[in-house]
Amino acid sequence: MNKFTRSLFIATQYIIPKQAVSKLFGILASANMGDFTTWIIKKFIKKNNIDMSIVADPDLSHYKTFNEFFARAVNPESRPIAPDEDAVASPVDGTVSQLGAVTLGRIIQAKGMDYSLRTLLGGDQEISAPFKDGSFVTIYLSPRDYHRVHMPYSGRLLKTVFIPGTLYSVNPVVVSHVDELFTKNERLVCIFETNHGRMAVVFVGATIVGSIETVWGGIEAPTKNSKREVKVTSYEDQNLIYQKGEEIGRFLFGSTVICCFEKGKIEFDSTLMPENTTLMGQQIARMIKK
């Protein structure tokens, strides 16, 4: 992307009606258009060089909508889960955007840019407090990636926080130019209790993301709440336990996942760096035993 194209792309993020465009795309992507849907899927595969050898069901005629294909499953053997008990697995296929320490309640977004941890998690001090001065990793999912989200580490779901917002693109070019983008976009925060403290898995929405879906709640975004308010849902009385590597949700189109851990609980692998690609299930860190 040359300098002019990059500038134009960034400018469009302030001009286009992002919610309306995303809603329209969601309608089209969930429509059964027969052979035309299959044709679109074939074009998408070719354009994005998608590896069909790992897809659980490679027969394109089985996908009645574009969304069904986009949220396709992969063969379990193609994504082995890091076996060590203390290993933290990548929750998704994607590219590491940033990782490291939460410093003074701020998370690095890009070079020279950061944002508020508390705002990311919905603004509640009680929810964000365990992660102050903790660790985080941000992983970007491009359109070609596998788009299901899995548990980085085994834990029990405590609550979710839906935060309404806008839908900026999470393309790395935009992320490096829009201040506090991840606290502006619509997102779903999932808080888990593990045997090494709290863990947050944040689904960040983006332009033309059709929806954010979880295995326990179904479609979480776009919200049906006309007031578009922050919504906290408690699951503490349901004993919903998910094992490392187990699917917990999915995106319909490219987006970002941010994972947060308590202070002193994990140590990232020394080889994990920004711009590294990672596969779901691959070890990205270890829990620190004390």
Side-chain angles (χ1 to χ4, degrees):
M1 188 180 292
N2 61 40
K3 186 175 181 180
F4 174 77
T5 304
R6 184 185 299 111
S7 298
L8 183 62
F9 181 46
I10 294 166
T12 62
Q13 295 298 304
Y14 297 95
I15 298 170
I16 63 171
K18 294 180 281 295
Q19 298 284 357
V21 169
S22 299
K23 184 176 181 179
L24 177 60
F25 182 86
I27 292 171
L28 295 174
S30 61
N32 183 345
M33 296 180 284
D35 291 342
F36 184 61
T37 294
T38 304
W39 180 82
I40 290 173
I41 292 171
K42 287 180 179 178
K43 291 292 185 180
F44 183 79
I45 291 170
K46 183 176 181 180
K47 175 178 173 57
N48 292 282
N49 193 28
I50 292 172
D51 183 3
M52 291 298 292
S53 69
I54 65 169
V55 178
D57 184 359
D59 187 343
L60 300 186
S61 67
H62 291 173
Y63 300 99
K64 303 306 180 186
T65 69
F66 179 79
N67 277 344
E68 285 185 12
F69 175 75
F70 195 82
R72 63 196 176 274
V74 295
N75 296 315
E77 59 269 23
S78 72
R79 295 293 182 270
I81 308 304
D84 291 352
E85 183 180 350
D86 61 346
V88 178
S90 174
V92 292
D93 284 11
T95 302
V96 177
S97 175
Q98 295 291 334
L99 76 160
V102 179
T103 305
L104 299 176
R106 308 287 293 182
I107 294 177
I108 297 172
Q109 176 174 306
K111 185 176 181 180
M113 302 171 69
D114 59 20
Y115 59 92
S116 163
L117 165 75
R118 181 171 174 175
T119 305
L120 173 73
L121 301 183
D124 186 283
Q125 173 63 21
E126 183 179 351
I127 291 174
S128 63
F131 306 104
K132 183 181 179 181
D133 301 322
S135 304
F136 79 96
V137 59
T138 303
I139 304 175
Y140 165 66
L141 292 76
S142 73
R144 72 178 297 247
D145 289 319
Y146 167 60
H147 271 73
R148 300 193 182 191
V149 182
H150 298 248
M151 283 289 280
Y153 196 77
S154 299
R156 179 170 67 95
L157 180 65
L158 298 180
K159 64 185 67 177
T160 63
V161 186
F162 171 76
I163 304 108
T166 187
L167 291 171
Y168 284 106
S169 167
V170 290
N171 181 288
V173 172
V174 179
V175 169
S176 65
H177 285 82
V178 178
D179 287 336
E180 305 213 8
L181 183 149
F182 295 129
T183 62
K184 293 176 178 176
N185 274 18
E186 189 165 89
R187 56 203 181 277
L188 181 74
V189 177
C190 307
I191 305 295
F192 297 90
E193 183 67 48
T194 78
N195 60 10
H196 285 268
R198 298 285 172 99
M199 175 179 71
V201 179
V202 184
F203 293 66
V204 182
T207 309
I208 70 175
V209 172
S211 68
I212 296 171
E213 183 177 344
T214 61
V215 299
W216 57 80
I219 300 296
E220 306 271 5
T223 179
K224 296 181 177 65
N225 179 355
S226 61
K227 294 183 179 179
R228 295 186 60 78
E229 299 172 334
V230 173
K231 179 184 177 183
V232 180
T233 304
S234 175
Y235 292 92
E236 294 195 45
D237 61 346
Q238 296 189 36
N239 199 34
L240 297 178
I241 298 173
Y242 299 94
Q243 302 302 318
K244 179 172 61 178
E246 189 171 354
E247 182 185 339
I248 57 172
R250 61 187 67 173
F251 288 109
L252 297 180
F253 225 75
S255 199
T256 289
V257 168
I258 303 170
C259 296
C260 300
F261 305 89
E262 291 189 20
K263 180 180 179 180
K265 299 296 185 180
I266 72 162
E267 182 178 60
F268 288 112
D269 285 9
S270 60
T271 57
L272 194 70
M273 299 178 183
E275 299 186 14
N276 282 174
T277 57
T278 184
L279 298 179
M280 190 284 292
Q282 175 185 329
Q283 180 177 313
I284 58 173
R286 285 189 177 275
M287 290 292 185
I288 298 173
K289 296 179 179 179
K290 290 186 178 180

